[in-house]
Amino acid sequence: MFSKAILRLAVVLMTIAAMPASAAFNVFATVPEWAALAREIGGDKLNVFAATNALQDPHRIEAKPSLIARARSAQLVIATGADLEVGWLPVVLREAGNAAIQPGQPGYLEAAAAVRLLEMPARLDRADGDVHPGGNPHIQTDPRNLLKVADMLAARLIQLDPANAAAYKAGLVRFSERWKAAMVRWEQAAAPLRGVPVWVQHRSFPYMADWLGLKELGALEPKPGVEPSSAHLASILERQKATPARLILRAAYARPSASEWLGERAHLPVVVLPFTVGGDAEATDLFALFDDTVRRLLAGLK
């Protein structure tokens, strides 16, 4: 446990170490997908830092001095919002003491503001688990959302760094053209997935299900963020007999035990999806992320 004095000293030293050698515009992205999107649009005009990696649960991150130091030198923070980072980002922003990147300032951007959020809760009660008041935050699993976030991000970069406006405009056009062509390819390849019933370990994929037409039968977790008991999994196994799914979906960062338990007993393929850039060896950028996701889903049907 750091004292405040030790924490401040650590942050100062790490801020100095974190400062880039170039004069590139500093971007602090909370999760890998927004870091990857910023690189697509900004290229070498940006110095992009991702606060988390694909094998970390983005809900449960520690506000370490190294993150505070990076935020202190940032000119733009890109967060998902919708309370995804509520457990750690407010602490990072407060301790960083960087007025330009606080919520409500131009240097703070929430991707969720660009899209229509799904799964708005009917009530707010901590007894229901880790419920997100504004809706499900896992918007990056639908590539249509990425286009909307890209537009918003490019506009914000142009506002904050007008000297490189032409580069950001060109980067957005280049990304959007390639992305739209890739979406046609993904949607054509994924046609066999339409209407396929699936279980999900955590409610990580409603946007992907909406995009591809998958039919979610439910989550293995009894409540969001709560590990299922063996009795709860046994009840899902009974439901599977009555209303069979064809796949179980799990994000790469999630614990495997529940999905493996059900998959073994119900003789169902467990499809582990990268979820974000870096979630497996193939998901090296945003395009590869969706290439790999569609390929894994289709392979699970065979």
Side-chain angles (χ1 to χ4, degrees), residues 34 37 78-81 109-115 117 139 145 148-149 152:
W34 310 135
L37 184 61
I78 311 171
T80 297
L109 182 148
E110 287 192 350
V115 308
L117 294 175
I139 62 174
N145 288 340
K148 297 174 183 177
V149 178
M152 183 173 68

Side-chain angles (χ1 to χ4, degrees), residues 5 11 81 122 217 227 245 276 288 300:
V11 169
L217 300 183
E227 284 291 312
T276 187

Side-chain angles (χ1 to χ4, degrees), residues 26-56:
N26 294 329
V27 174
F28 178 109
T30 60
V31 285
E33 57 265 27
W34 310 135
L37 184 61
R39 293 186 184 105
E40 291 284 349
I41 294 170
D44 62 6
K45 303 300 181 186
L46 303 179
N47 179 60
V48 181
F49 170 74
T52 60
N53 66 60
L55 299 183
Q56 292 177 293

Side-chain angles (χ1 to χ4, degrees), residues 40 173-183 185-186 285 287:
E40 291 284 349
V173 169
R174 187 166 51 248
F175 170 76
S176 297
E177 289 177 348
R178 292 179 59 217
W179 196 250
K180 289 173 183 175
M183 282 176 56
R185 184 178 76 247
W186 296 324
D285 60 23
F287 291 89

Side-chain angles (χ1 to χ4, degrees), residues 225-296:
V226 176
E227 284 291 312
S229 65
S230 55
H232 179 75
L233 290 173
S235 71
I236 291 179
L237 183 58
E238 289 303 310
R239 289 172 59 190
Q240 167 68 17
K241 294 174 183 176
T243 309
R246 294 184 62 188
L247 304 171
I248 303 171
L249 308 185
R250 184 180 86 229
Y253 72 81
R255 293 179 182 176
S257 52
S259 57
E260 296 296 340
W261 187 98
L262 183 62
E264 181 179 333
R265 287 160 179 78
H267 307 290
L268 279 175
V270 177
V271 180
V272 181
L273 297 175
F275 193 62
T276 187
V277 175
D280 58 35
E282 288 74 32
T284 53
D285 60 23
L286 289 171
F287 291 89
L289 167 65
F290 282 93
D291 284 340
D292 189 52
T293 295
V294 171
R295 181 187 63 78
R296 286 174 177 266

Side-chain angles (χ1 to χ4, degrees), residues 103-260:
Q105 297 302 312
Y108 178 81
L109 182 148
E110 287 192 350
V115 308
R116 178 179 63 90
L117 294 175
L118 303 178
E119 298 188 341
M120 304 290 285
R123 69 172 195 165
L124 297 177
D125 190 329
R126 294 307 301 173
D128 294 333
D130 294 336
V131 176
H132 296 280
N136 192 297
H138 302 304
I139 62 174
Q140 85 284 357
T141 59
D142 182 343
R144 298 171 298 186
N145 288 340
L146 273 289
L147 279 176
K148 297 174 183 177
V149 178
D151 287 341
M152 183 173 68
L153 174 55
R156 190 64 59 87
L157 288 169
I158 290 166
Q159 176 187 352
L160 294 173
D161 187 23
N164 288 310
Y168 300 137
K169 289 176 183 176
L172 176 63
V173 169
R174 187 166 51 248
F175 170 76
S176 297
E177 289 177 348
R178 292 179 59 217
W179 196 250
K180 289 173 183 175
M183 282 176 56
V184 171
R185 184 178 76 247
W186 296 324
E187 289 168 4
Q188 289 175 344
L193 296 166
R194 187 157 297 277
V196 170
V198 300
W199 295 106
V200 297
Q201 180 154 317
H202 174 72
R203 298 205 66 87
S204 301
F205 305 106
Y207 298 93
M208 184 182 73
D210 183 63
W211 171 49
L212 296 179
L214 292 166
K215 182 181 178 182
E216 285 195 9
L217 300 183
L220 305 192
E221 293 177 338
K223 299 174 183 179
V226 176
E227 284 291 312
S229 65
S230 55
H232 179 75
L233 290 173
S235 71
I236 291 179
L237 183 58
E238 289 303 310
R239 289 172 59 190
Q240 167 68 17
K241 294 174 183 176
T243 309
R246 294 184 62 188
L247 304 171
I248 303 171
L249 308 185
R250 184 180 86 229
Y253 72 81
R255 293 179 182 176
S257 52
S259 57
E260 296 296 340

